[in-house]
Amino acid sequence: MTHPPESVRTSLPALLPDLRAFARFLARDAALADDLVQEAVLRALRAEMQWIPGTSLRAWVFHILRNVFLEQIRRRGTERRALERMPDPGESGVPQEDHGELEDLGRALQALPLPQREALILVGAHGLSHEEAAVICAVPVGTVKARVSRARAALARNFPHRAI
């Protein structure tokens, strides 16, 4: 007995939490992230005949999401406006130690160049392989490995007592 082939429409709902998490890292804003995911899902559904069964649907949809994000940056300057809405790190009160470390890590991640942050999130946080991340970012595998390595090194300089 053979199993029916995986389809975009039946497999896409399981990817939504990971897509939203990746979009939040890219957009740095929950509402913008939801808009990115919605647009990526719509584009994936419109182009579902272009997806090749047997290849990674996850990588394909992440690639679409990334392209939507980059398109929005070019068109409307989304990243600049998102940064302007972020509170100044010096404005908050004295946070608890764990909360402070988490905020420090968040700032350190945001300080990374977008290509490094993106590669680290895809490989480190989402558990994608370097090969899948390379497909999503449309770069060679070696470039993804280098970006992840540089991002980890930058974070390690800020958090020498933590294994990253």
Side-chain angles (χ1 to χ4, degrees):
M1 174 182 270
T2 61
H3 296 284
E6 178 182 28
S7 82
V8 173
R9 291 181 186 268
T10 58
S11 301
L12 203 52
L15 297 176
L16 291 176
D18 287 340
L19 285 169
R20 186 161 192 275
F22 183 49
R24 295 251 347 230
F25 274 105
L26 291 174
R28 299 181 220 162
D29 179 90
L32 290 174
D34 289 342
D35 291 344
L36 281 172
V37 171
Q38 180 177 354
E39 182 62 25
V41 167
L42 288 173
R43 288 185 187 192
L45 290 173
R46 276 190 227 119
E48 69 181 309
M49 297 306 290
Q50 294 176 11
W51 176 66
I52 302 166
T55 61
S56 174
L57 176 64
R58 185 176 191 208
W60 184 68
V61 179
F62 269 58
H63 184 75
I64 292 171
L65 179 93
R66 179 181 179 267
N67 285 344
V68 170
F69 173 71
L70 294 174
E71 180 182 294
Q72 287 183 358
I73 286 176
R74 284 188 294 268
R75 232 190 256 158
R76 297 186 310 258
T78 303
E79 186 173 15
R80 179 186 48 79
R81 287 192 301 276
L83 285 172
E84 290 171 356
R85 284 194 306 268
M86 290 181 67
D88 183 31
E91 291 178 3
S92 64
V94 178
Q96 294 177 349
E97 186 175 321
D98 288 343
H99 184 67
E101 284 188 17
L102 190 57
E103 284 182 352
D104 291 345
L105 178 61
R107 280 192 293 276
L109 278 171
Q110 295 308 326
L112 292 172
L114 178 61
Q116 289 180 17
R117 183 174 69 238
E118 178 180 59
L120 184 64
I121 297 305
L122 288 171
V123 173
H126 288 288
L128 293 171
S129 69
H130 288 97
E131 291 77 13
E132 289 173 315
V135 169
I136 292 166
C137 297
V139 297
V141 175
T143 301
V144 171
K145 289 179 179 180
R147 289 176 180 175
V148 170
S149 177
R150 286 187 200 110
R152 286 181 172 157
L155 292 178
R157 284 190 298 274
N158 291 328
F159 298 95
H161 60 287
R162 303 260 187 222
I164 297 177

